[in-house]
Amino acid sequence: MAQIATLGLYGLGTMGSALALNILDNGFGLHVANRTETVTSAFRAEAGALAARLTTHASLADMARAMAAPRAIILMVPAGAPVDDAIEELSAILEPGDAIIDAGNTDFHDTRRRTALVEGRGLTFIGMGVSGGEEGARNGPSIMVGGTRAAFEGIKPVIDSIAAKFDGSPCADHLGPDGAGHFVKTVHNGIEYADMQMLAEAYGLMRYGQGMAPAEIGARFEAWDKGVLKSYLVEITGKVLQAVDGETGKPAVDVILDRAGQKGTGRWTVIEALKMGQSASAIEAAVGARSWSSEKTSRVAGEPILSLPREAVDLPASDYESALLAGRIIAYAQGFRILATASADYDWGLDFARIAEIWRAGCIIRSALLDDISAAFRGDLPEGQLIFAPSFAGMLRDAVPALRRVVAAAVGAGHPVPALSAGLAWVETMGQGRGTTDLIQAQRDFFGMHGFERIGGEAGSHGPWWD
Ligand code: NDP
């Protein structure tokens, strides 16, 4: 694809409007349209002086027709049918050399299908993951691009300009063909689920197990944000826990319903991991915990019915910090294992060190650990496992004992810590050369004559069960 001449954006919601202002702010001209036209005029007003570089249109089709070729049109609409509808509308108008860029949180299978469809029509298709929420989209998100390299080269100047920068380098790159960008964004969100859940579990234990006030816990998170846990999520957790509700004067978290929804990316991470024969226990647990949270009425009913005793815990702050560090390493490591499997299965050639680098700024899971992760992927990585890199193995050796103490104390006292305990179970398993699947194999052979692999012997051996 040649360098794009004109840039358009369709969908001026939270992300689309922020991204549009970012593009304009970086000196690029931009055409925009939105399904509901009044939103477009409101956006023009919001753009203020930046509107000098803005051209608004009544509809997607009007916008596409008015733009000079070659065009690149960014779709920032909900994943699913709205993207398919926009593609159909644009296919009738666009010409070879033009590009459609889906920047929403799309399932990578859809991106693979659409890439084949759109490119079969002689157009270019790019599936682009954008992370950082509204603030990131406005001031610099992390951008994960999937598509042909030629397609990326056409939009690279714009992408590099609008992306977050880490030490001056853009947190954006072409990661691989077709669904690669959207898949990496999906797994990014899976890791985000796990990290958020673990932070919430530590909060829950300090709050309900140790009787600490939210502000006191928030101060701990604020302090941890200056150490090994330094990250956007720890930073905002500290701020959230110290915030006070203006209406009631109560801690802000205490006026919020403990029920969270999910849009799909966490669940997709788990589904794809399982489909590829992988497991990401911490991410699975986090996705499951969100589902449990949505069963609010059942939980309220369950409290007096089950009447489970809960006791106090007494753990030092340093144990929580180390446990969260171990948990975070596990969450990233499980995410990268999924990426590695997908890269091999779909022949994407993902560069894991580069992915860690583009997550260092702009995105929700940015953290101090990502520098170490990219260094680990560029160095000696036994078995391709992040947790076996000398630096991470050392960190885990130091931090896992604290994770064990936190999980043991929580479980013993009746406080749920699903992601921390699931993550711990995985790392314990990975550090155990001989596990217990010999027994599982024997059971399978017993009831189903499945056969087993004898140590130092033949596969398909049978045991003496039926003698
Ligand atoms: P919003 O709900 O704020 O905005 C949705 C936009 O899509 C609006 O412009 C809306 O137009 C338009 N739209 C909705 N349905 C249709 C349709 N059927 N046909 C055409 N246009 C439609 O969503 P966000 O901006 O938050 O999200 C957009 C995409 O970005 C999603 O894929 C989301 O998952 C992803 N994303 C969101 C992030 C976030 O933090 N919010 C972070 C990263 C990615 P109208 O004004 O007419 O309703």
Side-chain angles (χ1 to χ4, degrees):
M1 182 194 157
Q3 197 86 353
I4 53 115
T6 52
L7 199 58
L9 187 145
Y10 179 60
L12 292 167
T14 308
M15 291 295 282
S17 58
L19 203 65
L21 291 174
N22 183 355
I23 293 168
L24 293 166
D25 226 359
N26 275 284
F28 298 97
L30 184 67
H31 295 256
V32 295
N34 191 67
R35 178 181 62 173
T36 310
E37 206 183 334
T38 48
V39 174
T40 313
S41 31
F43 176 73
R44 171 173 278 289
E46 187 193 343
L50 295 175
R53 287 190 283 278
L54 181 70
T55 314
T56 54
H57 303 272
S59 68
L60 175 63
D62 282 358
M63 178 174 87
R65 282 194 207 97
M67 289 168 65
R71 318 157 170 96
I73 297 181
I74 301 170
L75 306 177
M76 224 0 160
V77 294
V83 179
D84 284 319
D85 294 346
I87 288 172
E88 286 313 306
E89 212 172 336
L90 287 173
S91 295
I93 300 165
L94 301 188
E95 304 155 29
D98 292 343
I100 300 173
I101 303 167
D102 174 16
N105 275 337
T106 289
D107 183 334
F108 84 107
H109 290 297
D110 285 336
T111 306
R112 285 167 62 79
R113 170 179 60 78
R114 288 170 186 147
T115 303
L117 178 85
V118 172
E119 306 230 327
R121 292 171 178 170
L123 306 171
T124 298
F125 192 75
I126 293 174
M128 186 168 95
V130 178
S131 174
E134 184 183 11
E135 201 273 332
R138 177 65 185 89
N139 300 310
S142 170
I143 304 178
M144 294 144 259
V145 181
T148 62
R149 182 158 281 282
F152 174 64
E153 291 303 327
I155 57 165
K156 189 174 185 310
V158 180
I159 300 300
D160 283 354
S161 300
I162 64 172
K165 309 289 180 301
F166 186 89
D167 282 349
S169 156
C171 289
D173 216 336
H174 172 253
L175 300 178
D178 54 72
H182 275 142
F183 190 77
V184 173
K185 171 70 199 318
T186 297
V187 173
H188 162 287
N189 285 20
I191 297 169
E192 178 185 307
Y193 269 63
D195 206 30
M196 290 169 71
Q197 174 65 25
M198 290 180 191
L199 296 175
E201 289 172 12
Y203 155 72
L205 203 49
M206 287 184 270
R207 180 85 196 266
Y208 304 110
Q210 303 213 182
M212 290 172 65
E216 215 182 333
I217 303 169
R220 277 193 179 177
F221 279 99
E222 190 183 332
W224 291 336
D225 189 41
K226 296 178 177 69
V228 287
L229 289 179
K230 185 171 173 48
S231 59
Y232 175 69
L233 282 171
V234 167
E235 178 196 336
I236 64 164
T237 303
K239 287 182 177 159
V240 164
L241 288 172
Q242 293 180 78
V244 174
D245 175 51
E247 228 172 273
T248 58
K250 289 181 179 174
V253 279
D254 284 0
V255 300
I256 301 174
L257 197 61
D258 61 328
R259 183 165 70 188
Q262 44 183 314
K263 287 190 188 157
T265 44
R267 192 166 42 220
W268 295 342
T269 307
V270 174
I271 291 170
E272 294 308 325
L274 292 173
K275 281 207 279 201
M276 293 186 297
Q278 273 286 339
S279 161
S281 60
I283 302 173
E284 282 160 22
V287 170
R290 286 239 192 141
S291 304
W292 295 341
S293 87
S294 68
E295 294 179 47
K296 175 72 178 170
T297 49
S298 287
R299 289 185 291 113
V300 169
E303 190 169 324
I305 295 171
L306 295 173
S307 193
L308 294 168
R310 279 194 221 301
E311 285 153 31
V313 298
D314 186 15
L315 293 159
S318 57
D319 270 6
Y320 287 102
E321 185 179 26
S322 296
L324 287 172
L325 175 66
R328 173 171 288 170
I329 292 170
I330 291 165
Y332 279 125
Q334 293 189 335
F336 276 103
R337 276 161 54 97
I338 301 170
L339 290 179
T341 311
S343 183
D345 282 11
Y346 296 101
D347 207 12
W348 283 335
L350 294 178
D351 178 344
F352 308 116
R354 186 70 193 123
I355 291 168
E357 280 169 6
I358 67 171
W359 285 349
R360 288 179 304 181
C363 73
I364 305 295
I365 61 168
R366 61 187 185 260
S367 81
L369 268 189
L370 286 161
D371 255 341
D372 299 315
I373 294 178
S374 74
F377 276 117
R378 291 198 203 287
D380 176 29
L381 205 56
E383 298 285 315
Q385 299 273 356
L386 186 62
I387 55 169
F388 294 163
S391 54
F392 282 96
M395 281 189 254
L396 284 173
R397 255 191 312 276
D398 290 342
V400 164
L403 178 57
R404 288 176 177 165
R405 286 193 292 276
V406 168
V407 170
V411 171
H415 300 275
V417 285
L420 287 171
S421 54
L424 176 62
W426 176 66
V427 87
E428 301 283 17
T429 302
M430 294 306 287
Q432 196 180 34
R434 179 161 172 83
T436 54
T437 312
D438 45 344
L439 178 60
I440 308 284
Q441 292 294 69
Q443 290 162 337
R444 293 179 71 243
D445 186 50
F446 193 113
F447 64 66
M449 282 197 70
H450 291 290
F452 54 78
E453 200 175 345
R454 197 177 175 90
I455 295 172
E458 295 283 302
S461 297
H462 294 288
W465 349 110
W466 309 289
D467 295 348

